[in-house]
Amino acid sequence: MQLTETVKLYPNKYQTELIKATMSEYISTVNHLVLDAINGRSITKMTTADVNAILPSALCNQCIRDAKSIIRKYNKALRNSDTQVKLPVLKKMCCYINNQNFRISDDCISFPVIINGKSKRISVKTKISKRQIDIFIQ
């Protein structure tokens, strides 16, 4: 079962900059992987060791999965279309915090970001409902 929950984060100024840097790197990495795949490089057996990004490994894995998904959709659109299909590019800031890399404690969620070249956890204030906590703990 796959479940997605949205929570509102209340980061301080420093945490905001770290999160924005992570989101920008994420978008750049996915777009770079998609471009590599379009130019003939196989990404089907790619691992985090093959990805040159300043991201925690769990996010590198997510980048690879997203790039593969974009390529599958692009190839399907090419097969089903008589006209030229535009290559999709991510633009919207996004960042995934999934069950591989987050922890919940009281009114904070902690997750890894890159600080001075090392993956370190930051704890960001959030509002989490009792129902969401119950879902996350399962």
Side-chain angles (χ1 to χ4, degrees), residues 40-102:
R41 182 176 177 209
S42 175
I43 63 170
T44 55
K45 295 187 181 192
M46 188 172 274
T47 66
T48 57
D50 302 319
V51 178
N52 186 17
I54 306 169
L55 292 170
S57 62
L59 285 179
C60 283
N61 279 328
Q62 187 64 44
C63 286
I64 294 167
R65 284 192 295 271
D66 283 352
K68 287 178 183 178
S69 174
I70 290 169
I71 292 299
R72 273 193 304 274
K73 289 176 186 175
Y74 176 72
N75 288 337
K76 184 178 179 181
L78 281 176
R79 285 191 304 273
N80 296 333
S81 177
D82 295 335
T83 62
Q84 189 174 7
V85 177
K86 186 177 177 186
L87 179 65
V89 176
L90 292 182
K91 295 176 186 171
K92 186 177 179 182
M93 297 285 251
C94 62
C95 186
Y96 293 94
I97 302 169
N98 60 33
N99 62 352
Q100 291 179 355
N101 59 1
F102 78 86

Side-chain angles (χ1 to χ4, degrees), residues 22-36:
T22 299
M23 289 187 295
S24 294
E25 183 70 14
Y26 183 90
I27 290 168
S28 173
T29 301
V30 172
N31 288 336
H32 182 75
L33 291 172
V34 168
L35 191 59
D36 282 354

Side-chain angles (χ1 to χ4, degrees), residues 9-25:
L9 298 178
Y10 300 98
N12 61 34
K13 198 175 219 180
Y14 177 65
Q15 291 169 335
T16 299
E17 293 305 313
L18 290 172
I19 293 168
K20 282 182 179 179
T22 299
M23 289 187 295
S24 294
E25 183 70 14

